[in-house]
Amino acid sequence: MGKPADFTEASEPFALFYAWMAEAKASEPNDPEAMALATVDSHGLPNVRMILLKGADRRGFVFYTNSESAKGLELAANPKAALVFHWKSLGRQVRMRGLIEPATDAEADAYFATRHRESQIGACASAQSRPLKSRAAFEKDVARLARQFSEGPVKRPAYWRGYRLIPLEIEFWMSRPFRLHDRIVFCRASPRARWTKTRLYP
């Protein structure tokens, strides 16, 4: 059996990301698509939370959320963000920063249709990030909407939207003994520019 390929020799980031994600899906016990999303509020104070990656191609990295939530409002005001994937089973991390653009309504409709029916109803019932009087009030809204949508498909609410992070920087990190880790970063000045690669000290 040959020696494993050295990831630091990769010439572009997308193929490397796809390969690492495939390995994570085979080895990570829970949610290999989990990623931290960082945004900033109107005061420049960072916010970070765990969400799930729902699409990845050379256009960018897609996730979905309530556009009226804290992250939705922050992305509307400042359409830039950062993502981090950490796969403990592999000792690997991917960080990226870039621009945010909305996914199309067709993309959002298509993904919403794949969600479990109860998750669809939950998305309709949740005024995400806003004050909630009680758990009972939320459950009452869920029950009301379940009755409302008892027949036929659940329509995607207009505020439930998709976002695509278009990366300008993607960094790959791999754990090594004694903290002598491997780390490379790909950067480009704009979405149409060529990538440049730099090896970094760990």
Side-chain angles (χ1 to χ4, degrees):
M1 189 172 181
K3 183 180 178 181
D6 181 355
F7 82 94
T8 66
E9 295 179 355
S11 59
E12 62 87 25
F14 290 111
L16 180 55
F17 177 85
Y18 303 149
W20 278 23
M21 176 59 80
E23 291 181 58
K25 287 180 177 180
S27 68
E28 196 70 11
N30 292 302
D31 295 327
E33 299 91 352
M35 58 186 184
L37 167 68
T39 56
V40 294
D41 68 13
S42 58
H43 303 288
L45 190 64
N47 258 330
V48 65
R49 73 288 281 168
M50 299 302 297
I51 61 172
L52 294 176
L53 176 71
K54 292 301 179 181
D57 58 28
R58 291 178 183 273
R59 295 175 298 164
F61 299 82
V62 177
F63 59 93
Y64 295 88
T65 192
N66 186 321
S67 63
E68 298 173 358
S69 67
K71 59 178 139 356
L73 295 175
E74 289 165 3
L75 290 171
N78 183 12
K80 300 175 184 178
L83 299 173
V84 179
F85 296 85
H86 177 237
W87 299 302
K88 189 172 184 179
S89 64
L90 296 172
R92 294 177 183 173
Q93 175 178 282
V94 179
R95 299 194 309 140
M96 60 185 74
R97 300 190 296 168
L99 311 175
I100 293 290
E101 70 173 14
T104 65
D105 286 344
E107 288 175 304
D109 287 340
Y111 174 67
F112 191 79
T114 69
R115 302 186 90 200
H116 191 282
R117 187 176 183 83
E118 291 185 8
S119 295
Q120 293 175 334
I121 291 171
C124 295
S126 177
Q128 196 176 74
S129 302
R130 283 154 283 181
L132 173 62
K133 182 179 179 180
S134 67
R135 176 75 187 183
F138 182 40
E139 291 176 348
K140 184 177 180 180
D141 285 339
V142 170
R144 173 180 57 80
L145 287 167
R147 292 191 298 271
Q148 179 180 325
F149 294 116
S150 60
E151 296 181 9
V154 179
K155 184 178 179 181
R156 175 181 64 87
Y159 53 75
W160 195 91
R161 296 172 52 191
Y163 298 84
R164 177 177 286 103
L165 184 138
I166 304 168
L168 300 178
E169 181 179 306
I170 306 180
E171 179 188 299
F172 296 85
W173 174 97
M174 179 181 284
S175 176
R176 296 292 192 191
F178 309 110
R179 301 187 183 276
L180 303 178
H181 312 309
D182 280 325
R183 186 179 172 197
I184 58 172
V185 62
F186 292 88
C187 298
R188 58 185 178 178
S190 71
R192 294 181 180 274
R194 295 176 63 87
W195 291 105
T196 61
K197 181 179 71 173
T198 305
R199 186 162 191 152
L200 303 175
Y201 278 102

